[in-house]
Amino acid sequence: MRDPTPTGDDLVQVLSTLSNPHRLRVVAALAGGRNYVSQLARELDISRALLQVHLKKLEAAGLVVSQLELSEDGKAMKFYEVRPFSVHLTPEYVMDVVQTLTIEKGPRG
């Protein structure tokens, strides 16, 4: 997570982001080293457009970072890599971070 002391909202964002199987596969692929979008899409056998959607969500959650570089032939290539992160969930941790939630509460049932 981004902040050394993550909030409840940070936890919700990270867990929500990682709840998608495509995004888990992206993180797993990037854990092996940084890669550029076209190559990563081929390795994961998904379209570049779909991959871009998932990479944006992972980047917004602070789980991956990107860097634009120029190839030798002058073509722009966007590389992604995983940011180190750890999520250790315990009931006590959830009890602590729930106090910092700003996301709206759902209707009572």
Side-chain angles (χ1 to χ4, degrees):
M1 293 188 231
R2 286 176 246 153
D3 194 316
T5 47
T7 66
D9 295 345
D10 293 332
L11 179 61
V12 168
Q13 184 179 24
V14 166
L15 293 178
S16 174
T17 300
L18 291 175
S19 70
N20 181 286
H22 288 297
R23 290 192 283 273
L24 281 178
R25 290 178 59 224
V26 171
V27 169
L30 291 174
R34 68 187 217 123
N35 208 339
Y36 64 99
V37 174
S38 296
Q39 180 64 32
L40 191 56
R42 284 191 292 275
E43 289 176 12
L44 296 173
D45 195 29
I46 61 176
S47 72
R48 286 178 54 207
L50 179 59
L51 178 59
Q52 291 282 11
V53 169
H54 292 303
L55 286 167
K56 282 183 181 185
K57 289 182 184 273
L58 287 164
E59 196 165 26
L63 301 171
V64 301
V65 293
S66 65
Q67 184 174 358
L68 196 59
E69 296 180 14
L70 291 178
S71 66
E72 290 179 11
D73 62 357
K75 184 177 180 182
M77 299 171 66
K78 196 163 194 178
F79 283 84
Y80 284 86
E81 62 186 314
V82 173
R83 289 188 66 201
F85 68 91
S86 175
V87 179
H88 181 77
L89 290 177
T90 64
E92 294 77 20
Y93 175 69
V94 172
M95 194 170 71
D96 288 343
V97 298
V98 80
Q99 304 302 317
T100 64
L101 284 172
T102 61
I103 296 171
E104 290 185 29
K105 297 176 185 172
R108 290 189 154 177

